[in-house]
Amino acid sequence: IDSGATARDIANADVLLTAAYVGYASDMLIGQVDPSTLSQSWHIPPRRSAVDSALVHTLEDSSIADGLEHMAPQDSEYTVLKREYARYRAIAASGGWPKVLAGMSPEELSARLSAEGYAVPQEDSVTAVLTRWQENHDLEPDGKIGRATFAALNVPADERVRQIASNMERHRWLPRALGQRYVYVNVPAFRLDAYDSGQRVLSMKVVVGAEYNGRSTPVFSDSMRWVVFRPYWKPTENILKTEILPRIAKDKTYLDRNDLEFAREGGAKILRQRPGVHNSLGLVKFLFPNDYNIYLHDTNEKSLFAKNARAVSHGCIRLEQPDKLAEYVLGWTPDSVRAAMETGADNHTVTLAKKLPVYIVYFTSYERDGQLHFADDVYRRDEGLKTRIIVGAADPTLHLGHEHDVGLGSSGVHDPRSTGDRLRR
């Protein structure tokens, strides 16, 4: 059939389709938005070299559709986010869920929960279903409508859609392969997971940086190299200046009461806390040299893990079960680890036989045991990203038919211009 298209029309169409193809591929492989242009504190660099090789591979594939599909992350967490993105879009398109008001009846609460997919069977109580809902929203699972639960119930469905889309974008910023064995800390979830051969083999609560005075924990990746048992704690210059020295000036007993001492290190006079149960780093720390002076460590404040929100540190990450992480990292027996922590030599450094990748990430919607979880946006990083994704998806001139996969905002439409501009930069 003669379409009436001229040679110039065909050439223009070829250029536009090629640009769209490259744009979509880039968005799937390294993300639509450059995290350095947002206040994300995200320092895991994109692998731009992967774009060209992936394009060549998919062009050789007999099915372009399959090639495009496989450009997106293929891990189970992204798969769950993609599935839930489609489900929440459908909920939002059907009108979302009713607003929750103070003093609502059990029937009204049941209607709200059911609208999000948490049906209340006749044999189950509303309280039991609310508790499950709270668990999946990283709230205190007490079955009560406190302030945090009330606020979370009133987050609109379309906001949840944008939240999931933003976190799908963050997944596209990550490397496709994280390694056979690695440590993964999700800051908003206040949780560390350790993996071996693709399986989670260890999980624990963590305490992360506070959201004020520059204490937030950044997003980055590096390799763990050393484990230090019974470490000294050497306060940073900022902690010394703003916290410790003013207290010493006011209280002559402060040094002794906190096991602090002045010592010489490399010819310089330093202040350090002696090893032991009162040490701020606890009995072991895990070092992976980085530009942010962040590391994992035990803590002498175990009560912090009983709290639901745990953003209270100076930036480093405190561990609920440091002995278990040492067993995983070193391959030691529990008895050997406990001996090194409790009766071993002070400040004893053990070098890992093989460097271990560590990823500090920031996901406010994530998968756990096949279920979608929502976490508090503890550092308020979602809003800027949600806005950029929606702006980048606002042009309806191109529709690739993958709106449930892309996660590019409520429109589900990809804008080839935004990607082309970014690639040229």
Side-chain angles (χ1 to χ4, degrees):
I1 299 174
D2 186 0
S3 66
T6 66
R8 183 170 182 176
D9 291 336
I10 295 172
N12 286 338
D14 181 65
V15 170
L16 288 171
L17 288 171
T18 301
Y21 179 79
V22 172
Y24 182 85
S26 177
D27 285 0
M28 290 297 98
L29 289 164
I30 60 174
Q32 183 194 17
V33 180
D34 183 345
S36 66
T37 64
L38 296 168
S39 299
Q40 295 289 296
S41 194
W42 186 285
H43 305 287
I44 301 176
R47 298 180 62 187
R48 298 189 183 279
S49 60
V51 176
D52 291 340
S53 60
L55 284 172
V56 171
H57 177 74
T58 54
L59 287 173
E60 293 172 346
D61 198 302
S62 59
S63 171
I64 291 180
D66 288 344
L68 288 171
E69 177 73 18
H70 284 89
M71 287 179 179
Q74 300 297 305
D75 59 276
S76 60
E77 180 149 348
Y78 189 86
T79 299
V80 169
L81 287 177
K82 184 172 72 172
R83 180 194 74 202
E84 294 300 301
Y85 176 69
R87 188 171 74 85
Y88 274 80
R89 283 191 67 193
I91 293 172
S94 65
W97 42 69
K99 186 176 179 63
V100 169
L101 301 175
M104 65 182 154
S105 67
E107 291 75 21
E108 290 171 323
L109 176 58
S110 176
R112 163 63 185 87
L113 294 171
S114 296
E116 196 174 349
Y118 292 82
V120 182
Q122 288 185 350
E123 67 275 11
D124 208 348
S125 71
V126 178
T127 301
V129 176
L130 176 61
T131 299
R132 291 200 296 271
W133 182 92
Q134 289 171 320
E135 289 173 345
N136 286 354
H137 288 73
D138 287 11
L139 298 165
E140 191 67 37
D142 56 8
K144 301 177 182 178
I145 304 180
R147 181 180 300 176
T149 295
F150 185 83
L153 284 167
N154 278 313
V155 174
D158 58 351
E159 278 297 301
R160 292 302 190 194
V161 171
R162 287 189 284 270
Q163 183 177 355
I164 298 170
S166 297
N167 286 279
M168 291 174 72
E169 173 72 356
R170 288 186 177 116
H171 265 282
R172 294 188 284 265
W173 294 344
L174 284 175
R176 286 297 187 268
L178 301 183
Q180 284 293 305
R181 297 182 80 246
Y182 60 92
V183 172
Y184 188 91
V185 179
N186 184 7
V187 172
F190 307 120
R191 184 160 291 275
L192 175 149
D193 294 307
Y195 289 84
D196 196 338
S197 301
Q199 300 298 313
R200 187 173 68 232
V201 296
L202 179 64
S203 184
M204 69 184 71
K205 298 176 181 178
V206 298
V207 172
V208 301
E211 57 181 315
Y212 58 87
N213 292 340
R215 296 180 177 180
S216 60
T217 301
V219 170
F220 69 99
S221 63
D222 220 302
S223 296
M224 189 184 298
R225 302 183 187 182
W226 303 287
V227 177
V228 183
F229 290 101
R230 301 183 62 80
Y232 285 100
W233 175 55
K234 289 173 282 189
T236 65
E237 288 295 325
N238 184 57
I239 295 175
L240 272 174
K241 181 180 178 181
T242 61
E243 299 180 34
I244 294 178
L245 292 180
R247 291 172 183 170
I248 292 175
K250 294 180 180 179
D251 182 358
K252 297 184 182 298
T253 68
Y254 184 82
L255 286 174
D256 289 338
R257 287 190 299 103
N258 290 278
D259 283 342
L260 290 164
E261 64 181 13
F262 285 100
R264 288 279 175 183
E265 188 174 283
K269 186 178 181 181
I270 65 165
L271 181 68
R272 67 187 186 185
Q273 189 176 40
R274 290 183 288 272
V277 294
H278 301 298
N279 189 282
S280 295
L281 302 183
L283 297 173
V284 61
K285 67 178 179 179
F286 304 81
L287 300 180
F288 39 104
N290 56 81
D291 294 334
Y292 317 103
N293 198 29
I294 300 296
Y295 49 92
L296 310 174
H297 65 86
D298 185 15
T299 179
N300 61 341
E301 297 182 87
K302 305 295 186 182
S303 62
L304 293 173
F305 297 108
K307 299 180 179 181
N308 198 59
R310 298 186 294 276
V312 296
S313 80
H314 286 86
C316 287
I317 297 165
R318 307 180 196 183
L319 305 169
E320 179 189 27
Q321 299 174 301
D323 54 334
K324 297 298 183 184
L325 184 62
E327 293 170 27
Y328 164 83
V329 167
L330 298 172
W332 289 10
T333 65
D335 288 345
S336 297
V337 169
R338 293 311 306 179
M341 291 173 65
E342 295 171 0
T343 60
D346 288 346
N347 214 45
H348 175 55
T349 299
V350 180
T351 302
L352 273 62
K354 185 178 181 180
K355 295 178 184 178
L356 181 69
V358 177
Y359 299 91
I360 314 296
V361 298
Y362 193 93
F363 290 102
T364 61
S365 57
Y366 63 96
E367 175 268 342
R368 188 161 195 86
D369 299 325
Q371 299 295 314
L372 177 68
H373 283 246
F374 291 108
D376 182 36
D377 183 14
V378 63
Y379 299 152
R380 304 294 175 259
R381 292 177 183 168
D382 274 358
E383 199 55 45
L385 180 55
K386 287 189 292 187
T387 301
R388 284 287 296 275
I389 288 175
I390 292 169
V391 169
D395 185 353
T397 58
L398 176 65
H399 196 300
L400 294 175
H402 285 265
E403 66 265 26
H404 69 288
D405 295 340
V406 179
L408 295 179
S410 58
S411 71
V413 183
H414 171 76
D415 180 2
R417 300 173 304 178
S418 63
T419 304
D421 289 344
R422 187 178 70 250
L423 291 177
R424 283 192 290 273
R425 287 198 296 271

